[in-house]
Every structure is written in C-alpha cells, then in structure tokens.
Amino acid sequence: MPPMSAKQFARLARIVHEDTGIYLAETKRGLLSARINRRLRALRLADYSAYCDMLDQPDSAEERRALLVAITTNVTAFFREAHHFDFLAQQVLPPLLAKARSGGRVRLWSAACSSGEEAYSIAMTVLEAIPDAARHDIRILATDIDPDMVLKARAGRYSEERLHGLSSARRAKFFTAAPDGLAIRPEVSELLRFGELNLHKSWPFSGRFDVIFCRNVVIYFDVPMRQNLWGRFASVLNPEGYLMIGHSERIDGPAANRFRAVGTTAYKVAQDRADQSN
Ligand SMILES: C[S@@+](CC[C@H](N)C(=O)[O-])C[C@H]1O[C@@H](n2cnc3c(N)ncnc32)[C@H](O)[C@@H]1O
C-alpha cells in the first residue's frame, strides 16, 4: 500500500470529523492508515484517494460506519476510575433512592459506553445501593456511536481477562458462567437500555437525566464540539443532576459556569442555571 499523503490524510480527517466529531491531528496519519488498511484490502482499493472517493458517494453510509468502527478507540474496563462509583454510591444514589421509592423517575446515562463495562459498573453500583431497583422506575441508558460496541455491550459477555478490576464478590453476584467467560445476569441487564447514538447529532430523549457519565471521549473531539456538548449535557440534566467526566478532561467554554465541581472530575449542574436553555 502506498503511504498516505498529507492531502489524503486531510480528506479522511475531514470525513471522520464530519461524521463523529473526532479530531485527528496530522500526527495521527500513521495511526489512521494502519487502522484503515484492512478496509482498503477488503474493498480491493488501490489507494486512500479511491477510498475517499468511495466515502464521498451518496450511498456510502455503510462504509462510513465501517470507517467509524475502524477509527474509534474503545478502551474501557469495569469500575474504571473507581472513585466515580464510590461517589455514586455514597453521594448520588441515596437521594435518588428516596426519589425512586416515592414513585419518581431515575435515569442514568453512560454516554459513550464502548463495550458496556462502564454501564454495567453503574448498574452494579445501583443494585448494591438499591437491590430492588428493577421494581422502581430506574433505568440506565447506554449509548455509543460504534455499532459493533453497542452489540457487544448489549450481549454482556466478557472473557476472563476483561474482568480484572472486579471483586470476586461482584463476579459471584452479578455474573453467571458462559462458555467463553462470564455473562451479566439478567437482573443487571434489565436495568439497562442500549442504543447507537452519535453525541454530535440529535438526542431522541423526552425526559431528563439524574446522572451522566461521559468519560474518556471528549478528549477525541475538537474544542467547539466539546464545549457544545457541555451545554447540551447541562440542558438534559435534572436540576440536581451530576456529570462525570474522564480523568484527563475538563469542563470548559461558555457552559462551564453551568456546572460546579463536587468531587474528582464529578460535577453538579449549577441549580439556578439548569433550566437556562429550556
Ligand atoms: C475510550 S472509550 C471510553 C469508554 C468509557 N466511557 C470509559 O471511560 O471507559 C471512547 C468511546 O467513545 C465512543 N465515541 C467516539 N465518538 C463518539 C461520538 N461522536 N458519539 C458517541 N460515542 C462516541 C467510541 O466509539 C468509544 O467507544
């Protein structure tokens, strides 16, 4: 395969940005070509320009999805950045439990769930705090742009090596044996709803969220897209709602004053501003 030229890289980076909001710096040229070489071989295309031409065709939706699958970084783990789950258990869930027990609606959102570990970690934390959660109106929405990841997440099956970070008590309580590792128990899955969702497109929700986890994804976005997202999160959170972000991320831009830090990379919507844009 001839090396990817700067022009070809710029064309591909523009397409990726258009579709996903992911910003690829020129330093990512090698990474991008390594990730899409397999697509070029599978499609028997001579070079990256031919691939760009294909992506620019009106009927390119399927290949654009394949490109997206190839370029997304899906690294995740159960109870990754564990302090968020401690915070959830100690600070966030107690008042939500009271709300749920009095018939209220409780919604949590894993907004870039990858293969599901983050969403299931939220569900396990909820079940530890509220064992009868399924009898109340408590749901966890788990979404990702990558259709392959959403399928994996929904399947809820994990090989032994993906389970590091999980205590033996949690393994026993929330998983059952599966031929290729462990499978999430139905009483955990029933709290979850999975779907494909591009954070930069419209969000088909009618209600608001009590908690949003959007961790380790905005690092891939450019500044305007990232800052726009903070404002959108503030607008779909309940007045007492929380936003958890990744360890190397920060809330910046015009929407920053709509949040206040309440823990390590944990934020609460500033109460008097929650309804600003509604
Ligand atoms: C590194 S993983 C983070 C997973 C999890 N949140 C965590 O912290 O462990 C980043 C995820 O963001 C997803 N993603 C990238 N761009 C996205 C977009 N525009 N909308 C929704 N998800 C996106 C990727 O597909 C990937 O699964």
Side-chain angles (χ1 to χ4, degrees), residues 30 39 48-49 57 60 64 70 89 92 95-96 101 105 115 122 150 163 169 196 200 216 229 232 247 266-267:
R39 292 305 307 152
Y48 301 100
S49 296
Q57 296 302 309
S60 64
R64 282 188 175 229
V92 181
L96 292 181
R101 291 225 159 111
R105 180 180 177 279
S115 39
I122 297 171
V150 176
L163 297 166
E196 267 176 55
H200 300 299
N216 306 303
L229 208 49
R232 293 181 77 195
H247 64 282
Y267 297 84

Side-chain angles (χ1 to χ4, degrees), residues 6-261:
K7 204 168 152 202
Q8 289 166 333
F9 171 78
R11 243 183 115 182
L12 275 162
R14 179 189 50 78
I15 292 170
V16 168
H17 186 255
E18 248 170 47
D19 285 1
T20 66
I22 295 172
Y23 167 70
L24 295 169
E26 168 67 32
T27 50
K28 296 277 160 70
R29 203 196 310 183
L31 179 78
L32 183 64
S33 56
R35 289 203 176 177
I36 62 176
N37 275 349
R38 200 184 313 161
R39 292 305 307 152
L40 266 71
R41 282 198 296 276
L43 297 163
R44 297 178 188 283
L45 295 173
D47 61 23
Y48 301 100
S49 296
Y51 189 55
C52 292
D53 292 344
M54 185 177 190
L55 293 169
D56 278 338
Q57 296 302 309
D59 60 352
S60 64
E62 202 179 317
E63 188 50 41
R64 282 188 175 229
R65 276 162 74 97
L67 171 64
L68 184 159
V69 169
I71 58 110
T72 52
T73 298
N74 307 117
V75 179
T76 189
F78 286 104
F79 293 94
R80 180 183 195 187
E81 298 180 40
H83 60 90
H84 281 150
F85 300 95
D86 297 339
F87 184 78
L88 189 63
Q90 289 154 18
Q91 309 283 326
V92 181
L93 289 177
L96 292 181
L97 168 61
K99 180 176 163 184
R101 291 225 159 111
S102 59
R105 180 180 177 279
V106 173
R107 291 292 180 273
L108 302 96
W109 180 19
S110 168
C113 68
S114 188
S115 39
E117 287 88 333
E118 178 179 274
Y120 289 121
S121 303
I122 297 171
M124 288 183 244
T125 308
V126 166
L127 282 168
E128 284 166 353
I130 315 170
D132 61 346
R135 290 184 30 221
H136 302 292
D137 190 6
I138 302 178
R139 294 290 173 271
I140 300 153
L141 177 68
T143 60
D144 198 279
I145 194 174
D146 182 335
D148 285 9
M149 287 301 119
V150 176
L151 284 178
K152 273 194 176 182
R154 192 180 281 124
R157 283 170 178 256
Y158 297 94
S159 61
E160 193 55 43
E161 63 267 23
R162 304 225 34 103
L163 297 166
H164 65 88
L166 266 184
S167 66
S168 46
R170 280 180 173 149
R171 284 176 185 228
K173 190 168 177 196
F174 299 119
F175 291 81
T176 65
D180 48 353
L182 291 180
I184 293 280
R185 283 185 190 271
E187 49 273 34
V188 184
S189 308
E190 71 182 331
L191 294 180
L192 286 135
R193 299 289 177 272
F194 292 97
E196 267 176 55
L197 185 136
N198 182 345
L199 286 167
H200 300 299
K201 300 274 161 74
S202 63
W203 299 346
F205 312 132
S206 45
R208 290 174 177 231
F209 293 93
D210 299 289
V211 185
I212 298 173
F213 278 65
C214 182
R215 306 187 310 163
N216 306 303
V217 57
V218 303
I219 33 166
Y220 302 108
F221 300 156
D222 64 14
V223 174
M225 284 190 151
R226 180 179 74 218
Q227 294 186 350
N228 179 45
L229 208 49
W230 302 138
R232 293 181 77 195
F233 283 144
S235 302
V236 296
L237 275 167
N238 276 322
E240 293 288 312
Y242 292 88
L243 173 65
M244 316 293 189
I245 66 174
H247 64 282
S248 60
E249 298 165 335
R250 67 189 173 91
I251 300 184
D252 59 344
N257 69 347
R258 298 175 69 184
F259 292 95
R260 68 188 163 87

